Amino acid sequence: DLTEKLAGLDLIEQLFVLRREMKSRIRYELGRETIRRPPKNRGMNKPVTYASNIWNRGYANCAGHCVVFASALRALQVPYSILAIRSTIEGKPKHAILEVGFPEDTKIREVHQRASDLWTEFYGRHTTVKQDPETFEPKRMKLFTGLKFMHSPEGSEAAKRKGVGHWLILDPVTKVGYYQHLFEHGYMIHEGKGFSFALTPEAKTWLELTNPEAEGMQSPESDEQEDT
């Protein structure tokens, strides 16, 4: 069924469809939240329902999302890399994300425009209104600000390990092309008009652009950043 849905689609649309299908199949889980025991009374447990994701289940769950997403990419013979990233904010857990490989000759601006159209089709509006945490005034913020790519050019250390090409940063626990949470939680930082990871990421595994059977367990060298 999924194979039929992905057939004939370009790579960026396949990513949108994969994310939608994952979301529809990952169910909410029933957990129990322990609350403080009242004096002279027995302990009490308060039943709660929470989503299965990084913010309340920890690193293992976001890594699981990456593994499921990567298995689909492998079946499609799409190169990928699973990265473990860390936050500069104390107490934040390690987080797992994906890099999805695009060929070196990919026209990034055209992919960005295609993603903008797909965002409208799959998610609707590109902006929302939130309360400013400092002034408490309503503030309009962009949800889709453009895709973020890393580039491994010919001759670079990253290219020697992963292959020459462009690597789209993708977090399977959220919408394709949404990165604000990674900045807010200290995993990524702005550098002028560009961006970078707050701390050096650790590559857990990858499927190379040049060798579909190769996998590694070493940290990648720095790629060049591309922010569309």
Side-chain angles (χ1 to χ4, degrees):
D1 179 50
L2 182 57
T3 303
E4 294 177 357
K5 291 181 180 179
L6 297 176
L9 304 180
D10 55 17
L11 177 53
I12 190 64
E13 185 170 1
Q14 287 178 332
L15 299 180
F16 275 82
V17 173
L18 280 173
R19 166 58 190 156
R20 181 184 63 192
E21 294 300 310
M22 279 187 62
K23 183 179 179 182
S24 68
R25 286 166 168 75
I26 295 177
R27 304 301 181 185
Y28 279 70
E29 301 174 358
L30 183 62
R32 300 195 76 80
E33 176 186 55
T34 302
I35 62 174
R36 188 180 181 128
R37 292 186 178 185
K40 299 181 181 180
N41 287 322
R42 299 177 62 185
M44 298 176 60
N45 283 325
K46 178 184 177 182
V48 294
T49 301
Y50 48 79
S52 178
N53 60 37
I54 173 63
W55 309 123
N56 46 36
R57 294 305 305 278
Y59 173 71
N61 226 12
C62 63
H65 278 68
C66 287
V67 169
V68 172
F69 209 100
S71 66
L73 294 177
R74 178 180 288 275
L76 293 169
Q77 297 186 330
V78 175
Y80 67 85
S81 174
I82 297 179
L83 301 180
I85 57 177
R86 298 180 183 276
S87 172
T88 54
I89 301 175
E90 186 177 356
K92 290 293 180 183
K94 189 166 57 172
H95 187 43
I97 62 171
L98 283 165
E99 287 182 329
V100 180
F102 284 70
E104 175 70 2
D105 60 357
T106 299
K107 297 179 180 179
I108 298 299
R109 292 192 179 277
E110 292 183 7
V111 175
H112 166 71
Q113 184 57 55
R114 178 73 173 126
S116 179
D117 295 339
L118 289 168
W119 180 286
T120 302
E121 177 184 342
F122 280 73
Y123 309 135
R125 59 185 181 180
H126 287 217
T127 63
T128 188
V129 176
K130 285 190 174 182
Q131 187 181 66
D132 188 292
E134 296 181 356
T135 65
F136 302 104
E137 295 292 328
K139 180 180 179 181
R140 184 169 294 277
M141 64 171 289
K142 289 185 177 181
L143 298 174
F144 180 76
T145 57
L147 301 176
K148 299 192 181 300
F149 284 86
M150 304 297 284
H151 182 214
S152 52
E154 186 175 358
S156 66
E157 289 298 319
K160 292 177 183 177
R161 299 181 185 278
K162 299 188 297 184
V164 176
H166 307 270
W167 297 86
L168 172 65
I169 297 174
L170 186 148
D171 187 348
V173 303
T174 190
K175 299 174 180 178
V176 177
Y178 182 72
Y179 305 100
Q180 187 60 32
H181 64 299
L182 296 177
F183 290 101
E184 291 177 352
H185 292 278
Y187 297 101
M188 295 175 67
I189 57 175
H190 293 285
E191 290 186 338
K193 294 184 178 180
F195 70 96
S196 69
F197 292 111
L199 299 172
T200 303
E202 177 186 358
K204 293 300 184 179
T205 184
W206 59 67
L207 193 68
E208 294 181 348
L209 279 163
T210 54
N211 181 5
E213 299 302 324
E215 290 190 353
M217 293 299 293
Q218 303 177 23
S219 296
E221 301 295 334
S222 297
D223 299 48
E224 294 183 356
Q225 304 160 14
E226 296 178 303
D227 191 351
T228 59

